Amino acid sequence: MTTFVLVPGLWMGGWAWDAVVAELTAQGHRAIPVTLPGLGERAGEDTAAIGLAEHTDAVTEVLDAQEPGAVLVAHSYGIFPSLAAVDRQPGKVERLVFVDTGFPEPGESVVTQMPHLLEAADGHVLRVPSEIDAVHGVPEAEWERYQRLATPHPVRTITDPVALTGAWLKLPTTGIFCLANGLSLEVARALHATGDPRFAKLAEPGVTFFELATGHYPMLSTPTELADVLVRAAAGEGQSLQGQ
C-alpha cells in the first residue's frame, strides 16, 4: 500500500482529486487530497493574509501527519508549495510527482514564469477562469462541477518567491506530461540537451516520465488513467532520459 498526498493547482480544492482518490483507494492505496488555505471548503479564510508560505505550511502539515515514504503528487501551481515543503524535509517523501508542470528555481514565483496570470487579479484573489479550453478534454459534467466548486485563488501565492535549498534535488521524481498542453518527453529531452544546469536532473537515475493523451486537467479528464500512472510512478516505472 502506498500513501499518495495530492496537491491541486490554481482555483481547486481537494475535490479536484475525487475520482483519482476513488480509483487509488479501489486499488488498495491511501490517497489524501489537500485543500490549500483560502480554497475549496477553506475559501472563507482571509485571502489577503495567505501567501506561498501558508500554502507550504499546509502541505508540510499533511506530510508531517504521514509515515515516511509517501508519494507527493503536485499538479501545476501545486508544485510551488509542494516543492518548498519537501525541500524542508525530503526524508518524508519517497517520490515527488509533477503533473503537467515544471520546477522553479530558488527565488522564482509563479508569475516569473507566467506573468499573464495577474490579468485575472481582482483585489487579493485571482478570478476563476470563465472556461476551460476544449483541447483539455474535460467532460461537460466535470466542467459544470468545476464551475460550482472552483474558488478565487489568493494572489500572494503566485507572487511570493519560493524558498528552496536544493535538498529536494536528491529525491526520485516522476514527470507526467499532458500532451494536449504541449509538454512531452521530447520537450524534456530538448531542455536537457541545452546543457543548462537547471535541467541536469531530468536525466538522473530515479527520474522517470509518463505521457498522457489529454490536457492540463487529467484528474478531471482522465482520472482512471492518471491513477494508474501514479501507481506505476510510485513503483519507479516510467521512461527515462538516460541512454536516450
Side-chain angles (χ1 to χ4, degrees), residues 41-121:
E41 66 271 21
R42 305 180 64 176
E45 299 178 12
D46 181 9
T47 53
I50 297 171
L52 184 57
E54 284 69 33
H55 279 189
T56 300
D57 290 344
V59 177
T60 300
E61 288 172 10
V62 175
L63 292 176
D64 283 343
Q66 315 309 315
E67 294 295 324
V71 174
L72 179 60
V73 181
H75 171 247
S76 193
Y77 158 79
I79 199 60
F80 276 77
S82 296
L83 205 59
V86 78
D87 191 72
R88 294 176 178 176
Q89 44 181 1
K92 291 289 292 187
V93 171
E94 183 72 21
R95 180 172 291 270
L96 178 61
V97 180
F98 299 71
V99 180
D100 211 40
T101 188
F103 50 85
E105 290 285 285
E108 286 186 340
S109 67
V110 177
V111 295
T112 302
Q113 302 175 356
M114 295 182 290
H116 67 277
L117 285 174
L118 288 177
E119 296 172 6

Side-chain angles (χ1 to χ4, degrees), residues 154-185:
V155 166
R156 279 185 47 220
T157 65
I158 71 163
T159 58
D160 288 349
V162 65
L164 299 170
T165 68
W168 76 272
L169 289 166
K170 301 175 183 178
L171 279 173
T173 64
T174 295
I176 300 176
F177 300 131
C178 297
L179 296 177
N181 197 43
L183 291 177
S184 66
L185 194 60

Side-chain angles (χ1 to χ4, degrees), residues 82-240:
S82 296
L83 205 59
V86 78
D87 191 72
R88 294 176 178 176
Q89 44 181 1
K92 291 289 292 187
V93 171
E94 183 72 21
R95 180 172 291 270
L96 178 61
V97 180
F98 299 71
V99 180
D100 211 40
T101 188
F103 50 85
E105 290 285 285
E108 286 186 340
S109 67
V110 177
V111 295
T112 302
Q113 302 175 356
M114 295 182 290
H116 67 277
L117 285 174
L118 288 177
E119 296 172 6
D122 183 7
H124 300 298
V125 297
L126 299 177
R127 296 183 300 274
V128 176
S130 59
E131 61 181 357
I132 291 178
D133 292 341
V135 69
H136 297 302
V138 177
E140 184 64 26
E142 280 301 300
W143 164 234
E144 292 174 356
R145 182 169 172 261
Y146 178 94
Q147 288 181 301
R148 292 197 311 273
L149 299 177
T151 46
H153 193 98
V155 166
R156 279 185 47 220
T157 65
I158 71 163
T159 58
D160 288 349
V162 65
L164 299 170
T165 68
W168 76 272
L169 289 166
K170 301 175 183 178
L171 279 173
T173 64
T174 295
I176 300 176
F177 300 131
C178 297
L179 296 177
N181 197 43
L183 291 177
S184 66
L185 194 60
E186 181 180 358
V187 170
R189 289 194 186 104
L191 290 173
H192 182 262
T194 66
D196 188 327
R198 74 178 293 173
F199 301 122
K201 182 174 174 61
L202 295 176
E204 289 182 356
V207 177
T208 63
F209 302 94
F210 291 89
E211 295 178 331
L212 289 176
T214 189
H216 187 57
Y217 303 90
M219 68 287 293
L220 305 180
S221 59
T222 55
T224 300
E225 293 86 344
L226 178 57
D228 289 343
V229 164
L230 291 178
V231 172
R232 293 178 62 193
E237 297 180 30
Q239 298 186 66
S240 169

